[in-house]
Amino acid sequence: MNLHQYAETHEVTNQPPSLDGANLYRIDLPLQQWSRHFGAGWAQDRIDAYGALAGGPLMAAGFLANQHKPQFHSHDRYGHRIDLVEFHPAYHDLMRTAIEHGLPSLPWTEPRQGAHVARASMTYLHSQAEAGSGCPLTMTFAAVPALKLQPELAQYWLPKVLATEYDPRNIGDRHKVGVTLGMAMTEKQGGTDVRANTTRAYPVGAPGPGQAYELVGHKWFCSAPMCDAFLTLAQTEKGLSCFLLPRHRPDDGRNQFYIQRLKNKLGNCSNASSEVEFRGALAWMIGEEGRGVPTIIEMVAMTRFDCMVGSSALMRQALTQAAHHCAHRQVGGRLLAEQPLMQNVLADLALESEAALALSLRMGRALDQPDDPQQVRFSRLVTAVGKYWICKRAPSMINEAAECMGGAGYVEDSILPRLYREAPVNSTWEGSGNVQCLDVLRALSKEPGVLDALFDELGDGHGDPRLAVHIGNLKAAFADTGDVQYRARQLTEDIALGLQAKLLLEAGNATVSDAFIGSRLGGSGRVYGGLPRGVDVGEIVARSTPNWPL
């Protein structure tokens, strides 16, 4: 018997072709259309170029960066304290590519219509390849408005923050052209309640904005501890204040910034999150003393926006994988994507993904109009609405997408497990669901014009009676002020769905908007795949299925 004839037991068939190397922009028709719709038509070549990187070398780097987690070294081999976190080279490739393409800087260095939309679109692509590196990229981007509140600090730091040069060396910031910024806000006893913080700030000389202080205390969460500087909060004689704390002192010595340990997290594995202590760490006050929360909220608003974009990206990549799999996988001699029940599920997932993208890029459009009071009020509200709703929807949507792929979506060889583990970070970071919903109520009740801005945006239903009824019900719900905190989640959800429905109607694709409104405002299924009768599921699925190779 020739045993070699049995070496190959079977021929591999009925498997989808690899998506390796796909241009994530070119296989995403909704992204192409929505980025243009909101003013980033001029940036399509840049977004296209980043789509090629995201689906090619960055996708490969993402797998490596997550397989090889950051490693913390408290001391060197001679016993000297070094507080060093080492990353796999793939992580540095991700950071370098993003910074060189302006992901943390584009809207600030090219402040034109569509700049925030263009930057959000590239961030959307980057996050599909690897989301963990998005943490320091987002914080560097988001720190700019807060830094501008202190001109003498901004004069030195902003050119480095906005430089398109990545320098991960563990050296003082004065030796670098480009730097990254992090954030350290929460403490053990307070968490979201930062007013319970106990870290103290002591003036080195004269007190006040722009002046040097020494900080003593701890932070329960410090994201990306190898950043060059951090925005943080500490108590002074006048209350909680905001500070910029560099990792190195002006004389190049190490600041009194000590990493206790790295967090062992559910996901977000390529990124280092840490617990730190300040033992007389040198820092400079930003903004008015005692007004630390309003100062740092300038940064928080932008990071919440990126949570929207990041969750939308995770959903899109999950949909891409599921739709591609089903377009090539046969069951019972028939492609999964042609079978009615699977079409119902895939179409429902596609609606969720596109609605999330639309609301995220609409938010970017508002940020591109900082001189329009109406857009400022709109962005104040939608930052919290979108952060709550999109981030809340991501985990269940990704789970359903993985289920479309069966066992292939459950194993680590696919990207679905990483997407699923990553999804909860955006709903938790920068304020969990309840925090966002209470912030919605705060914005509507305490900031003049915000409620009017919402209903001006929603309009009269744009000719759709179902949306008109929804808007009317929403107005009635806000007129009833009884137990409003108890109802805050439902109110926030209704705002989000109304805005998403309006945006999809406005875009003019009747198949998409009718299916979304019929399912989300019509009270159909509570799980994905419960679209009502009459929906052109085939068209919706085709719209979001990668045509690859092109």
Side-chain angles (χ1 to χ4, degrees), residues 311 314-315 318 388-402 419-427 528:
S311 288
L314 298 175
M315 287 195 279
Y388 170 76
W389 184 241
I390 295 172
C391 299
K392 189 67 69 179
R393 297 292 282 175
S396 61
M397 186 274 191
I398 295 167
N399 176 68
E400 192 69 59
L419 300 177
Y420 186 65
R421 289 192 300 269
E422 187 73 29
V425 72
N426 287 328
S427 62
Y528 293 104

Side-chain angles (χ1 to χ4, degrees), residues 422-484:
E422 187 73 29
V425 72
N426 287 328
S427 62
T428 302
W429 189 44
E430 300 297 13
S432 57
N434 285 355
V435 172
Q436 302 309 315
C437 293
L438 293 174
D439 195 38
V440 168
L441 298 184
R442 188 179 302 111
L444 291 170
S445 63
K446 295 186 177 181
E447 302 191 21
V450 170
L451 187 61
D452 291 337
L454 168 64
F455 287 113
D456 286 347
E457 177 77 13
L458 288 172
D460 60 2
H462 299 268
D464 190 291
R466 298 164 297 181
L467 180 55
V469 168
H470 181 81
I471 294 169
N473 291 339
L474 193 55
K475 289 179 178 179
F478 278 112
D480 177 7
T481 57
D483 65 5
V484 68

Side-chain angles (χ1 to χ4, degrees), residues 258-327:
Y258 294 90
I259 301 171
Q260 301 305 102
R261 61 175 175 173
L262 299 187
K263 297 288 193 181
N264 188 13
K265 299 171 293 183
L266 168 66
N268 198 243
C269 293
S270 70
N271 174 46
S273 301
S274 63
E275 300 168 23
V276 301
E277 287 187 350
F278 306 148
R279 303 176 187 172
L282 190 61
W284 282 261
M285 184 180 287
I286 293 180
E288 184 180 346
E289 184 174 359
R291 298 277 296 167
V293 173
T295 299
I296 209 167
I297 209 72
E298 298 277 348
M299 183 177 188
V300 170
M302 290 295 181
T303 56
R304 288 177 175 174
F305 170 49
D306 269 16
C307 288
M308 295 169 59
V309 175
S311 288
S312 300
L314 298 175
M315 287 195 279
R316 173 62 211 193
Q317 182 56 211
L319 172 64
T320 294
Q321 296 292 331
H324 179 70
H325 177 91
C326 293

Side-chain angles (χ1 to χ4, degrees), residues 184-187 189-201 213 215-216 218-219 231-243 278 285-297:
M185 290 178 63
T186 61
E187 299 181 4
Q189 71 284 349
T192 298
D193 183 12
V194 294
R195 296 190 187 278
N197 285 6
T198 60
T199 296
R200 297 291 305 181
Y213 285 71
L215 274 54
V216 178
H218 81 281
K219 295 297 170 182
L231 264 67
T232 190
L233 297 172
Q235 302 283 358
T236 68
E237 294 301 320
K238 295 183 179 180
L240 197 63
S241 303
C242 182
F243 295 87
F278 306 148
M285 184 180 287
I286 293 180
E288 184 180 346
E289 184 174 359
R291 298 277 296 167
V293 173
T295 299
I296 209 167
I297 209 72

Side-chain angles (χ1 to χ4, degrees), residues 2 10 77 84 145 218 288 296 319 329 375 445 462 477 550:
N2 183 3
H10 64 285
R77 60 178 175 156
L84 179 68
H218 81 281
E288 184 180 346
I296 209 167
L319 172 64
R329 178 79 165 178
Q375 296 305 310
S445 63
H462 299 268
L550 297 174

